[in-house]
Amino acid sequence: DITATPMPIEKSPKKEIVQLSPSKKSVASPSPAKDNKLLKKSSQEFPLQPKSLTLKQLKEVIQDVSVQKIKYDAKCKENKLPRETMEQYMYTYLNQHYGLKSLILEWATSILNGVNVYSASNTEVGVFGKILKNECDEEFRFILPKWQEKINEKLKHLLKKRYKNKNE
């Protein structure tokens, strides 16, 4: 399971970008006391109320994050900058769309909860979860649809062969 633990990754005078770490259960930063106060204060002001995403909603978010990441990766390559991992980019994406720390946390938690709920029953969600945890190469998301198509073709061929007298 992916757990949602707030972890500051970048600070600027205007806003703070927050990342949820799937593997760490505590706040990791140079000054934990200061960050703990910030997190306690923000959770009191903005109680985290993650949405329960349906499978369709989750797949739409995953699709949009993936499409936007392709564009972002192209810009990084063009500017000779290193690529972000899918996990890092998800927070970049949420920051670009919502900007507020509370909304970023809410959506990240919703996405991670949705991945935990649907990954066992949906291959695309499961692969996205593996990519988020760096357990699967990001490029596999491009290979998966091709494999699914080939498997469907093989299955149709076998069924047609087995049931020659039946219509589709």
Side-chain angles (χ1 to χ4, degrees), residues 69-80 83:
K69 184 165 187 327
I70 292 168
K71 294 175 186 176
Y72 185 80
D73 286 348
K75 286 181 185 176
C76 287
K77 186 176 182 179
E78 184 180 302
N79 295 320
K80 297 180 181 173
R83 280 178 37 174

Side-chain angles (χ1 to χ4, degrees), residues 90-128:
M90 183 179 77
Y91 298 104
T92 300
Y93 171 89
L94 293 172
N95 188 52
Q96 289 170 348
H97 279 75
Y98 302 107
L100 294 174
K101 178 180 172 181
S102 60
L103 288 175
I104 293 167
L105 286 172
E106 183 178 313
W107 272 95
T109 303
S110 298
I111 292 167
L112 296 176
N113 288 344
V115 168
N116 285 335
V117 168
Y118 297 112
S119 63
S121 62
N122 188 281
T123 310
E124 292 148 21
V125 174
V127 167
F128 183 75

